[in-house]
């Protein structure tokens, strides 16, 4: 199936559109996030002001209640002004009626009379008066003093007026008002020895806080709690867990603030404020799902921003690519001219920008190509002349082979086996060397070539050394090896190991394989070599003397193997001075097909 070509201009427009879409997408997300953040911040600020207003109202109410308790506890003259009986200050029945009326007036003046469930002033054996919205009873004082919290509230510090929610201790209207908020203080002017013998108790109805909350919009989730997290007023509390809310409030140390959090699985904002005197905690929960976020307006804005970015980006992409494509078109046209065989330079493509630099390079390249073509023509002509000379030079080795063959037959006729053996070995060596050094042969062929070399050297050195060959697996005879790999190694063993020792030696050749790697070891019992010589042996390519038949040293063999098979293969040398030298050839195990 033929592929539809995509031009550079189309590709540039496509890439620009992808970038523009990404940018427009990021801008849209940022716009939506900013809009949502602004809505949340505005709603939070509005709720903070609302909660502050509620807190201010409740603080005034608590201050009025505390003021009533302080007046009753500290000013005896407030109730007993002129109705006294004798020197013992006993209050008559008329005095009690007057004091009760004063107490009712004091509650009415505060403006919160309807939320005072009951205020009781008690002095053992002399005074017991009550006022409030609930009817009194002769045993109310006893009911209060029998509660488990009476002593605790009575003995509080005079400056501590923290409100706590308690069960209604009175026997009347406990069903209508099951819980109250008591404030108890000892009468400071009383001469009684015990605080429990003279005290004032003001019980506040929780309806005060519930009525204050209901003055606000009924879609709000507002809570009023005491310091011990008892709810005394709430609106829309069914959607949230009070235990979870209480645990969160216990972790907040600031007196007021707002916090983005999750409550009852809803993403919301918690706004809270703690009153320093009463200890009341006011909080409002804003659910983000119920905030007035207009999705139509925000989606319309995002869509307009997105489409505007696409249109503007597409127009700019067309203009940009049109400006960019012009010099590219000139370059492609000139390349077509070059491909047709015309290498003349074109000055129009050499502009003053990056594409102009490419144009200059193309003009220089076309000039170089023209010069190279002319040079190639000259080289081809020279090559033809050299091939003729090579053909002529081949006559000399063939003449040498024929001459050696004639010498061999003359020696055969004269029954001189030594000359026949040497001439045959030399002829085999010359034929193999004339074919080149880099072709690959089998291990068997390499060993045969090595045998010809060893034959000549044994006659030369009069049996100075022996050679033992061990091939562990017969199949390794067909393994592949670069020609003239073993001859330089044996040659090194003769000239650098056995000959300097001055005594007969043994050269052992072992062929084996491990993990698909062919190893050939050439070991001699000559003079050995030091560590410095070993390190220098594989790096010094100049260590070839006139005694070397092939002119190939160990560094050259190692280099040839690495060039053909890679750096993990080559030669490894182990030696001990005066004992032995062992050269190991490692190359991949391959077989010639």
């Amino acid at each position: 199936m033929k592929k539809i070509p995509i031009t550079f201009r189309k590709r540039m427009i496509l890439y620009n559109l992808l970038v523009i879409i990404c940018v427009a997408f990021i801008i849209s997300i940022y716009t939506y996030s900013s809009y949502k953040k602004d809505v949340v911040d505005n709603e939070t600020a509005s709720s903070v002001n609302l909660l502050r207003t509620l807190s201010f109202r409740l603080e005034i109410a608590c201050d009025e209640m505390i003021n009533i308790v302080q007046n009753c506890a500290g000013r005896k003259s407030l109730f007993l002004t002129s109705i006294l009986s004798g020197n013992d200050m006993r209050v008559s029945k008329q005095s009690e009626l007057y004091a009760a009326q004063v107490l009712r007036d004091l509650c009415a003046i505060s403006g919160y009379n309807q939320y005072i469930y009951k205020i009781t002033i008690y002095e053992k054996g002399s005074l017991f008066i009550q006022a409030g919205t609930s009817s009194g009873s002769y045993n109310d004082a006893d009911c209060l003093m029998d509660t488990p919290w009476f002593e605790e509230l009575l003995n509080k510090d005079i400056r501590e007026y923290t409100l706590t929610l308690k069960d209604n201790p009175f026997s009347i209207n406990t069903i209508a008002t099951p819980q109250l908020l008591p404030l108890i203080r000892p009468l400071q002017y009383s001469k009684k020895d015990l605080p429990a013998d003279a005290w004032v108790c003001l019980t506040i109805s929780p309806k005060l806080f519930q009525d204050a909350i209901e003055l606000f919009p009924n879609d709000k989730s507002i809570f009023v709690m005491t310091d011990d997290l008892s709810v005394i007023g709430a609106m829309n509390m069914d959607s949230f867990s009070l235990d979870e809310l209480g645990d969160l409030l216990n972790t907040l140390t600031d007196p007021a603030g707002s916090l983005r959090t999750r409550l009852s699985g809803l993403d919301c904002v918690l706004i809270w404020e703690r009153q320093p005197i009463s200890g009341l905690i006011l909080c409002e929960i804003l659910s983000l799902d119920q905030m007035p976020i207009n999705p139509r307006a925000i989606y319309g804005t995002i869509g307009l921003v997105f489409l505007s970015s696409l249109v503007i980006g597409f127009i700019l992409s067309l203009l940009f690519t049109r400006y960019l494509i012009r010099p590219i078109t000139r370059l492609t046209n000139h390349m077509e001219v070059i491909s047709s065989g015309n290498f003349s330079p074109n000055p129009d493509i050499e502009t003053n920008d990056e594409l102009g630099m490419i144009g200059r390079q193309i003009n220089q390249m076309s000039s170089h190509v023209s010069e190279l073509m002319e040079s190639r023509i000259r080289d081809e002509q020279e090559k033809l002349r050299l091939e003729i000379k090579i053909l002529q030079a081949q006559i000399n080795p063939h003449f040498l082979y024929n001459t050696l063959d004639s010498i061999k037959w003359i020696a055969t006729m004269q029954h001189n086996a030594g000359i026949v053996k040497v001439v045959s070995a030399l002829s085999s060596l010359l034929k193999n060397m004339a074919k080149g050094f880099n072709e690959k042969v089998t291990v068997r062929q390499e060993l045969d070539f090595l045998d010809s070399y060893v034959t000549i050297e044994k006659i030369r050195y009069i049996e100075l050394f022996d050679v033992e060959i061990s091939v562990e697996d017969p199949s390794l005879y067909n393994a592949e090896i670069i020609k003239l790999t073993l001859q330089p190694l044996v040659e090194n063993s003769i000239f650098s190991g056995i000959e300097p020792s001055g005594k007969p030696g043994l050269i052992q050749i072992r062929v084996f394989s491990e993990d698909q790697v062919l190893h050939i070891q050439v070991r001699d019992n000559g003079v050995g070599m030091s560590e410095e010589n070993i390190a220098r042996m594989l790096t010094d390519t100049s260590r070839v003397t006139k005694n070397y038949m092939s002119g190939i040293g160990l560094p050259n063999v190692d280099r040839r193997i690495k060039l053909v098979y890679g750096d993990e293969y080559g030669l490894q040398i182990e030696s001990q001075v005066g004992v032995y030298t062992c050269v190991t050839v490692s190359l991949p195990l391959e077989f010639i097909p």
Side-chain angles (χ1 to χ4, degrees):
M1 182 177 180
K2 186 177 180 181
K3 292 184 179 180
I4 300 176
I6 301 177
T7 62
F8 179 75
R9 185 178 187 182
K10 291 181 181 178
R11 204 174 275 135
M12 286 293 296
I13 293 175
L14 179 61
Y15 292 160
N16 287 338
L17 285 178
L18 289 176
V19 173
I20 292 166
I21 290 173
C22 292
V23 172
F25 183 72
I26 293 172
I27 292 174
S28 301
I29 293 178
Y30 175 77
T31 304
Y32 177 77
S33 300
S34 299
Y35 172 80
K36 188 173 182 180
K37 182 178 181 300
D38 290 340
V39 171
V40 173
D41 291 345
N42 291 335
E43 287 295 312
T44 302
S46 175
S47 296
V48 168
N49 292 331
L50 182 146
L51 200 67
R52 193 168 294 160
T53 301
L54 176 61
S55 177
F56 179 71
R57 291 181 181 179
L58 295 181
E59 191 172 11
I60 291 176
C62 292
D63 288 344
E64 288 292 337
M65 301 296 180
I66 293 171
N67 185 52
I68 292 173
V69 172
Q70 288 177 338
N71 283 330
C72 292
R75 297 171 59 190
K76 181 177 181 180
S77 60
L78 187 65
F79 304 102
L80 306 176
T81 54
S82 60
I83 306 178
L84 302 175
S85 176
N87 296 329
D88 56 358
M89 297 292 291
R90 287 190 176 274
V91 182
S92 66
K93 186 67 176 177
Q94 184 178 3
S95 299
E96 288 186 5
L97 293 174
Y98 172 78
Q101 183 61 43
V102 171
L103 185 60
R104 287 192 292 271
D105 293 341
L106 183 63
C107 294
I109 292 172
S110 68
Y112 296 94
N113 184 45
Q114 57 181 325
Y115 302 111
I116 299 176
Y117 183 82
K118 190 176 292 186
I119 180 170
T120 303
I121 299 177
Y122 172 80
E123 188 172 12
K124 185 176 181 180
S126 60
L127 181 65
F128 177 60
I129 57 175
Q130 293 189 100
T133 59
S134 177
S135 301
S137 176
Y138 70 93
N139 64 341
D140 284 347
D142 294 333
C143 291
L144 281 170
M145 289 187 289
D146 289 341
T147 60
W149 41 264
F150 178 81
E151 292 290 340
E152 177 187 354
L153 297 182
L154 182 65
N155 294 322
K156 276 188 176 182
D157 186 89
I158 193 172
R159 293 167 296 181
E160 186 178 359
Y161 290 92
T162 303
L163 296 178
T164 55
L165 189 64
K166 306 295 182 181
D167 292 334
N168 191 339
F170 304 110
S171 58
I172 301 176
N173 292 333
T174 56
I175 297 177
T177 310
Q179 291 181 310
L180 299 171
L181 298 163
L183 286 173
I184 303 176
R185 284 291 179 269
L187 299 179
Q188 298 175 12
Y189 52 80
S190 176
K191 297 181 180 179
K192 301 294 181 180
D193 296 333
L194 299 175
D197 293 338
W199 44 264
V200 57
C201 175
L202 174 66
T203 52
I204 306 170
S205 173
K207 193 172 184 300
L208 166 64
F209 307 97
Q210 186 64 39
D211 290 348
I213 291 175
E214 292 177 353
L215 294 175
F216 293 90
N218 57 8
D219 60 340
K220 300 288 185 180
S221 296
I222 302 177
F223 302 82
V224 179
M225 292 178 283
T226 60
D227 186 61
D228 59 356
L229 302 180
S230 298
V231 179
I232 57 177
M235 180 186 294
N236 299 323
M237 62 182 294
D238 297 337
S239 302
F240 303 97
S241 170
L242 292 178
D243 293 336
E244 187 178 358
L245 177 61
D247 293 339
L248 180 59
L249 289 173
N250 284 330
T251 63
L252 303 175
T253 57
D254 294 335
S258 61
L259 176 67
R260 180 82 173 266
T261 183
R262 289 187 67 84
L263 288 172
S264 300
L266 299 176
D267 192 8
C268 56
V269 177
L270 173 65
I271 304 164
W272 79 92
E273 183 169 338
R274 298 176 187 266
Q275 294 187 354
I277 297 176
S278 64
L280 295 179
I281 303 174
L282 291 80
C283 61
E284 180 179 357
I285 301 175
L286 299 176
S287 176
L288 267 63
D289 296 335
Q290 298 178 353
M291 288 189 178
I293 299 176
N294 189 347
R296 182 175 299 177
I298 185 60
Y299 293 153
T301 303
I302 292 174
L304 181 62
V305 170
F306 191 81
L307 291 177
S308 300
S309 300
L310 285 181
V311 172
I312 295 173
F314 184 72
I315 294 173
L316 292 177
S317 296
L318 291 177
L319 296 176
F320 171 72
T321 53
R322 183 179 179 183
Y323 173 78
L324 183 63
I325 287 299
R326 285 180 179 177
I328 295 178
T329 303
R330 290 196 294 266
L331 288 174
T332 55
N333 292 336
H334 184 62
M335 293 299 292
E336 291 178 357
V337 173
I338 292 175
S339 63
S340 65
N342 184 2
F343 298 100
S344 59
N346 182 6
D348 293 336
I349 64 175
E350 298 185 11
T351 55
N352 295 324
D353 53 19
E354 289 80 359
L355 293 175
M357 295 175 60
I358 297 175
R360 284 190 290 273
Q361 294 296 327
I362 290 176
N363 283 335
Q364 293 177 8
M365 180 190 68
S366 60
S367 299
H368 292 161
V369 169
S370 179
E371 294 175 359
L372 288 173
M373 291 185 66
E374 294 177 358
S375 176
R376 182 178 178 183
I377 293 173
R378 292 193 299 268
D379 292 343
E380 288 293 334
Q381 294 173 350
E382 183 67 22
K383 182 179 178 182
L384 289 174
R385 289 194 296 269
L386 290 175
E387 287 180 351
I388 294 173
K389 290 183 178 180
I390 290 172
L391 291 173
Q392 294 173 347
Q394 287 180 349
I395 298 174
N396 293 330
H398 284 292
F399 177 76
L400 180 58
Y401 302 153
N402 294 332
T403 303
L404 290 173
D405 192 54
S406 299
I407 295 173
K408 183 181 73 172
W409 284 109
I410 293 172
T412 301
M413 293 172 63
Q414 295 180 359
H415 305 286
N416 193 330
I419 296 176
V420 173
K421 189 175 181 180
V422 172
V423 171
S424 297
L426 178 59
S427 178
S428 177
L429 283 174
L430 291 175
K431 286 180 181 180
N432 279 280
M433 293 177 65
K435 293 179 182 178
F437 294 146
N438 290 326
E439 67 178 76
K440 295 179 181 179
V441 297
T442 63
V443 172
R444 187 184 302 278
Q445 292 171 329
E446 180 71 3
L447 291 176
D448 290 342
F449 173 76
L450 182 63
D451 182 64
S452 299
Y453 171 74
V454 170
T455 298
I456 296 173
E457 294 297 341
K458 277 189 173 183
I459 294 175
R460 177 183 176 186
Y461 285 99
I462 313 174
E463 305 295 336
L464 179 64
F465 63 92
D466 288 323
V467 177
E468 293 181 357
I469 299 176
S470 171
V471 180
E472 293 188 354
D473 188 350
S475 64
L476 296 180
Y477 279 110
N478 295 321
E480 188 177 75
I481 186 173
I482 299 176
K483 191 172 73 172
L484 281 177
T485 296
L486 300 182
Q487 182 273 328
L489 274 59
V490 174
E491 191 174 45
N492 181 76
S493 296
I494 297 171
F495 294 142
S496 299
I498 296 175
E499 183 183 15
S501 68
K503 60 182 179 179
L506 175 64
I507 300 175
Q508 295 174 314
I509 300 175
R510 179 188 172 211
V511 182
F512 63 98
S513 64
E514 290 180 355
D515 300 327
Q516 295 301 310
V517 178
L518 177 65
H519 299 286
I520 303 177
Q521 289 182 346
V522 178
R523 180 187 179 100
D524 67 78
N525 56 354
V527 296
M529 61 181 74
S530 63
E531 293 292 336
E532 294 80 5
N533 288 335
I534 292 175
R536 192 165 57 249
M537 180 64 70
L538 294 180
T539 57
D540 188 1
T541 57
S542 64
R543 293 176 59 85
V544 179
T545 66
K546 62 182 180 180
N547 294 325
Y548 277 46
M549 183 274 294
S550 63
I552 302 175
L554 267 61
N556 304 82
V557 175
D558 183 63
R559 183 60 178 161
R560 281 196 300 150
I561 294 175
K562 282 181 167 46
L563 287 174
V564 175
Y565 296 112
D567 291 339
E568 64 269 28
Y569 301 102
L571 301 185
Q572 292 181 346
I573 301 177
E574 299 178 7
S575 182
Q576 183 176 350
V577 178
V579 180
Y580 75 96
T581 297
C582 181
V583 181
T584 303
V585 181
S586 299
L587 60 160
L589 182 59
E590 298 174 351
F591 295 90
I592 295 179

